[in-house]
Amino acid sequence: MRKIILRDRRKVFPFNESARDLRVVNKPLWLHQRDMMARYVTEERELDSLAQVDGRREETFVYRDNLFFDQFFFEEFLQRARNLGKACRVAFDLDDRAITAHAIPLQNGIRREGNVYVADMWYFPHGIEQNVRPLVIDTEPHEMGYYHVPTHMSNRMGDLVYQVPTKAFCSIEHWVHTITANVVFGVYAQAARKDKELEDSVGQQLRVLARAMLEQKQVLSCSDLVHVGRNCSIDPTAVIRGPTYIGDNVTIGPGAVVDVSIIGDNVDIMTGGQVMLSVVSDRCFLPFRAALFMTVMMEDSMVAQNTCLQFCSVGRNSFIGAGNTFTDFNLVPKPIRVKKQGDLCETGMPVLGGCVGHNCYIGSGMIVYPARAIESDVILFASDDRRVISRNVHYEDSDHFSIKDASRLHTRMYPR
């Protein structure tokens, strides 16, 4: 099968790079797509539009490169399209709960046409043609809660559940979508599939129970639900609960907790660290008492001690200092909104943290308001004037400019 990739060259703020280069479930999006489809594809081309595809009459699969979809979704679409034997475009019902709740906000790639939503993914059995029919795919959402709060707070915060798809699909056009793809449609979707698998099969339940008894572990910690790679050092007092994937050369210290997460290769989680429903990419470092909840860390980043990130996205090669607080709940009873192309838009989420771009260095003791973003290559120091981050921080606001000014002043005052 020939694969045509349509390039989406828009840059995603604050990372300032295309969605295809951002990490999703610990791989660049383009590599995630390539690995997933490798056994089906014999030829691959990258183009800017569907009109540039040549007229060869051969089986062709076309998609835009900012789309995230998992193996289960791709295989469902491809199998059904092949069985139909006609040119198809991916579509969704208007009442698909996962799409309407989490994939529609802040994007334009999934749009309504008639009585369905459509997106930029096509299958052509005999080359490109004009007559294309929508092929509706059910994401099979599974409702899953993530907080249990007192009643008086739940009335203010709204419905604290996610509609988690067991066949995931979304368009990455905003930094909020990196959390959607990695957490809700990534690690949470893996948990939803395992829940459904165990609910539907008594045999599976008995097999997992038998494995836990054989290994003398709790059910959620047995090797059927927790994958541990090569050359890992995990302290006996650490709590690991699945479904969780742990890569190679990982160190997890005493009292650490890893719960339903993806941990990449060469990651170090020290004493008392907590990682829950999160993605920690390759070569990241979490020292003692650092905590992540529903957060994605891209490769080569560090979150220092006593810092807690909830519903956050952190780019590659970034450092977040000790004692920082990324708040995720709007105390004022108003919807959480983010900047999109200069306008404030509702996120559809009752709780949402912040985003830190690539190559950032954030000093200690900051408080970051919900839905704020810090652009790539920014350096921030806590000061009397800037300890609370109440708006987006752009490169021009970086403290490294003041460092250069101070350095030049020092040179003038104390010449060598």
Side-chain angles (χ1 to χ4, degrees):
M1 180 177 70
R2 177 175 60 160
K3 180 176 72 172
I4 304 295
I5 304 168
L6 302 182
R7 290 297 308 269
D8 188 304
R9 300 184 184 276
R10 291 173 295 177
K11 306 298 184 184
V12 178
F13 178 84
F15 306 107
N16 297 337
E17 67 180 8
S18 301
R20 60 173 280 139
D21 297 315
L22 298 175
R23 285 247 165 172
V24 180
V25 290
N26 194 29
K27 285 184 180 179
L29 181 57
W30 68 266
L31 182 58
H32 165 81
Q33 294 164 334
R34 176 177 293 179
D35 289 350
M36 182 174 54
M37 292 181 272
R39 66 190 183 96
Y40 297 95
V41 174
T42 57
E43 179 186 348
E44 176 181 309
R45 292 190 63 194
E46 293 189 4
L47 301 172
D48 288 321
S49 71
L50 197 60
Q52 295 177 342
V53 183
D54 61 51
R56 282 188 294 165
R57 293 188 57 78
E58 62 180 286
E59 186 182 32
T60 304
F61 179 76
V62 184
Y63 69 95
R64 194 164 296 281
D65 68 358
N66 69 326
L67 297 178
F68 167 73
F69 45 92
D70 62 20
Q71 189 84 40
F72 304 93
F73 184 93
F74 168 70
E75 291 180 350
E76 170 84 4
F77 175 72
L78 182 62
Q79 180 181 352
R80 289 183 53 194
R82 281 176 166 175
N83 291 342
L84 189 62
K86 298 183 182 298
C88 301
R89 184 179 192 177
V90 72
F92 306 94
D93 282 329
L94 298 180
D95 59 355
D96 187 307
R97 290 175 296 149
I99 297 298
T100 56
H102 308 305
I104 290 296
L106 303 173
Q107 60 84 53
N108 302 306
I110 304 172
R111 50 203 177 272
R112 182 170 180 171
E113 289 189 5
N115 60 350
V116 295
Y117 291 116
V118 298
D120 290 343
M121 177 185 288
W122 297 267
Y123 171 81
F124 301 97
H126 309 296
I128 304 299
E129 57 183 272
Q130 296 298 319
N131 297 322
V132 179
R133 65 188 61 200
L135 178 58
V136 175
I137 304 296
D138 185 1
T139 62
E140 299 181 16
H142 197 66
E143 186 172 281
M144 303 182 74
Y146 53 96
Y147 272 158
H148 182 71
V149 298
T151 304
H152 72 281
M153 287 297 295
S154 63
N155 291 337
R156 292 189 61 194
M157 298 176 72
D159 198 12
L160 295 177
V161 297
Y162 278 128
Q163 305 298 333
V164 181
T166 51
K167 299 182 180 74
F169 184 98
C170 69
S171 177
I172 299 178
E173 303 176 33
H174 193 278
W175 68 259
V176 173
H177 300 144
T178 64
I179 301 174
T180 303
N182 278 280
V183 177
V184 186
F185 288 14
V187 291
Y188 225 167
Q190 292 180 13
R193 282 191 291 269
K194 181 57 69 173
D195 275 359
K196 191 173 186 299
E197 178 184 326
L198 293 175
E199 287 175 2
D200 295 344
S201 173
V202 176
Q204 286 284 353
Q205 296 176 24
L206 293 175
R207 185 173 67 83
V208 172
L209 179 61
R211 179 60 60 88
M213 294 175 65
L214 179 65
E215 295 173 351
Q216 297 184 354
K217 294 181 178 178
Q218 293 184 351
V219 170
L220 294 177
S221 299
C222 75
S223 59
D224 261 10
L225 299 178
V226 177
H227 167 88
V228 179
R230 301 186 301 269
N231 194 35
C232 291
S233 175
I234 301 178
D235 190 271
T237 63
V239 177
I240 316 293
R241 293 183 293 204
T244 285
Y245 177 91
I246 298 174
D248 300 333
N249 308 309
V250 172
T251 299
I252 301 178
V257 175
V258 178
D259 189 2
V260 190
S261 295
I262 294 175
I263 309 297
D265 297 337
N266 303 294
V267 170
D268 192 350
I269 302 173
M270 291 183 64
T271 304
Q274 297 189 40
V275 180
M276 302 180 185
L277 290 165
S278 297
V279 177
V280 182
S281 299
D282 297 343
R283 301 177 300 278
C284 285
F285 178 41
L286 278 74
F288 58 91
R289 295 195 304 275
L292 308 179
F293 179 72
M294 293 189 118
T295 289
V296 52
M297 286 180 67
M298 300 181 195
E299 69 273 30
D300 298 300
S301 288
M302 173 180 170
V303 174
Q305 61 268 24
N306 298 319
T307 289
C308 178
L309 304 183
Q310 300 192 102
F311 301 90
C312 293
S313 183
V314 179
R316 75 176 70 93
N317 194 35
S318 287
F319 168 81
I320 300 178
N324 284 299
T325 302
F326 282 68
T327 59
D328 63 349
F329 173 53
N330 194 354
L331 297 180
V332 180
K334 292 182 179 180
I336 294 178
R337 299 187 297 173
V338 294
K339 279 287 187 70
K340 179 190 176 187
Q341 298 175 346
D343 298 324
L344 281 173
C345 302
E346 292 187 14
T347 64
M349 302 176 69
V351 287
L352 177 66
C355 182
V356 176
H358 303 317
N359 309 308
C360 290
Y361 292 84
I362 312 300
S364 300
M366 298 280 193
I367 298 175
V368 182
Y369 281 6
R372 271 53 171 187
I374 299 171
E375 192 171 12
S376 293
D377 302 305
V378 162
I379 297 175
L380 287 182
F381 294 108
S383 65
D384 293 339
D385 296 330
R386 181 156 59 186
R387 186 171 295 276
V388 176
I389 306 301
S390 59
R391 58 181 178 84
N392 288 351
V393 179
H394 296 270
Y395 179 74
E396 294 78 8
D397 305 318
S398 174
D399 285 332
H400 80 269
F401 289 114
S402 61
I403 294 172
K404 291 178 181 177
D405 293 340
S407 177
R408 286 194 292 267
L409 177 62
H410 185 274
T411 302
R412 289 198 302 270
M413 293 178 64
Y414 304 100
R416 293 181 180 178

